[in-house]
Amino acid sequence: MPAIPQRRRWLLAAAIAASLGLGACSSVSNSTRSALYAVTPYKIEVVQGNFVSKEQVEALKPGMTRQQVREILGTSLLTDVFHSNRWDYVFTIRRQGVEPQQRRLTLYFNGDVLDRFEGDPMPSEEEFVATLDTRRRSGKVPTLEASEDQLKKFDPKDSDKAKDKPADGEPAAPTAPLPAAYPPLESR
């Protein structure tokens, strides 16, 4: 008979836990909802295409050959079979916490010679790298200062002299000469 009251206790504990769990679901406020949205799964960084910088676009000049253009920009992402005189350079990047970026540059050839090009305004390499760095900056950079006495502690000249100089009355320890040639790594 003692098993029946113990079973009731477990059922009562399970019922209380279930009611508390269901009650907690209904009390989600805006602050707890925003906390839940802050915890997100990791989203991988997706980079597609060729990054073309402002410096590379400035190096393009009408009249350049396809090979010269390829040396500056690399191989185009899209080469259309139906429009063989057109190269498209498309670049997209999607990162978590950063607005997706998409840039496009289209080059038109007349035979083997660059005729014209058009596209989005391209950032310089420095500007592009700055948009990739999403680390939070600490406001103040500490100044690094050391007095002359502190610097003398780390002076390599003084520490080498102290190591080489024998104590009073002790003879200097002889150093072994370096070998003229090293043995081969593999024996035959």
Side-chain angles (χ1 to χ4, degrees), residues 23-176:
C25 290
S26 66
S27 66
V28 175
S29 66
N30 285 337
S31 61
T32 55
R33 187 170 283 124
S34 65
L36 289 174
Y37 286 132
V39 178
T40 59
Y42 176 74
K43 295 179 184 174
I44 62 168
E45 181 176 307
V46 179
V47 179
Q48 294 178 319
N50 308 56
F51 170 70
V52 178
S53 68
K54 182 194 312 185
E55 294 86 2
Q56 289 173 309
V57 173
E58 289 172 354
L60 293 176
K61 305 289 181 223
M64 296 177 89
T65 65
R66 289 179 188 250
Q67 183 61 34
Q68 290 172 325
V69 171
R70 192 176 290 121
E71 288 173 2
I72 294 172
L73 299 178
T75 307
S76 66
L77 183 66
L78 299 172
T79 305
D80 193 354
V81 176
F82 299 108
H83 301 100
S84 61
N85 289 333
R86 173 180 164 170
W87 287 359
D88 291 301
Y89 289 85
V90 180
F91 175 76
T92 58
I93 183 169
R94 291 184 190 94
R95 299 181 72 200
Q96 186 172 1
V98 179
E99 287 293 319
Q101 300 178 30
Q102 180 173 4
R103 294 189 182 84
R104 170 172 287 226
L105 177 69
T106 304
L107 286 76
Y108 297 95
F109 290 91
N110 187 2
D112 191 38
V113 177
L114 179 64
D115 186 34
R116 62 186 168 90
F117 54 92
E118 59 189 36
D120 299 330
M122 301 295 173
S124 67
E125 289 183 24
E126 192 173 301
E127 293 168 344
F128 177 69
V129 170
T131 63
L132 294 179
D133 189 10
T134 58
R135 293 177 293 175
R136 295 180 187 211
R137 305 266 186 241
S138 62
K140 188 177 179 182
V141 177
T143 57
L144 300 177
E145 295 179 0
S147 67
E148 289 296 322
D149 294 333
Q150 291 171 332
L151 290 175
K152 285 181 182 177
K153 291 180 187 177
F154 301 104
D155 190 12
K157 296 174 192 171
D158 292 340
S159 62
D160 289 342
K161 289 177 187 175
K163 289 179 187 173
D164 294 340
K165 188 176 182 181
D168 291 338
E170 287 182 28
T175 57

